[in-house]
Amino acid sequence: MRNSRLEEVGTFAQDEFVGDSEGRDLYCSLLYPQHTLEFSKYPADLYVMTWLLGYVDPSDPCFVAAILTITFNPLFWNVVARWEQKTRQLSRAFRSPYLACYSLGAAILLLNVLRSHCFTQAMLSQPKMESLDNPTAYRMGLALLGVGSTFVLSSFFALGFTGTFLGDYFGILKEARVTTFPFNILDNPMYWGSTANYLGWAVMHASPTGLLLTAVVALVYMVAILYEEPFTAQIYQQKASLSHKRS
């Protein structure tokens, strides 16, 4: 029974919200209270996801490529960094932990360029959201892009290249964890700044596909943070312990 009702809701979402291409108003569901009542029986996140999926073709190759690059990038740099921390194979191959870290950083930058390209192509290949296609929304997206870029760039300048690109896994440690701006405002500003950039880019393009992909970016970063934070804290605890023993 529950599956049949979900299918009914999904059918309604497709009929009502995909109708932009047929000239129907995005918010025409407001004219149908019986459907509004039907949606109210489900959680808000299910409603939003059903609504966004009404615009998105998940089988589109550009969308699939965007999902793959979004999920692959953090997986790649975490696996490689953990492997390096345990084996020092990259440091030995490049005969320097700094050269090894620079090489991994360059690879991460190239992968992020590819991710941004796939994200943009996925947005351009799918329909726009008429309610976001206006100057006010564009300015809001531009503001988000500005805030996100500020967090990303200030994080980079505070950490430096090796601090940004996992130098601590290569044994390149700072004297202490950075607590200056923007780290005194929020944790992991590089990740959340990047998320804000993608959100702003999606709003500027009035793209429901971009909004959905931004949610995937945020989710992947949250998983990465849960994986990285304890390990980074452990590295600096070990450093502090060694320094204490030497003193």
Side-chain angles (χ1 to χ4, degrees), residues 88-139:
R88 299 297 185 216
Q89 289 290 342
L90 285 177
S91 295
R92 283 198 286 268
F94 286 94
R95 299 184 178 181
S96 165
Y98 285 90
L99 284 178
C101 183
Y102 295 150
S103 299
L104 178 60
I108 292 172
L109 286 172
L110 289 174
L111 286 171
N112 286 345
V113 169
L114 177 62
R115 176 180 63 180
S116 296
H117 172 74
C118 292
F119 187 101
T120 302
Q121 291 303 309
M123 289 195 301
L124 296 178
S125 68
Q126 308 237 16
K128 287 188 174 184
M129 183 184 293
E130 290 184 0
S131 59
L132 283 180
D133 196 9
N134 59 75
T136 300
Y138 186 88
R139 286 191 289 269

Side-chain angles (χ1 to χ4, degrees), residues 151 154 179-189:
F151 280 132
S154 59
T179 57
T180 57
F181 180 85
F183 294 89
N184 58 349
I185 294 179
L186 76 166
D187 294 329
N188 305 290

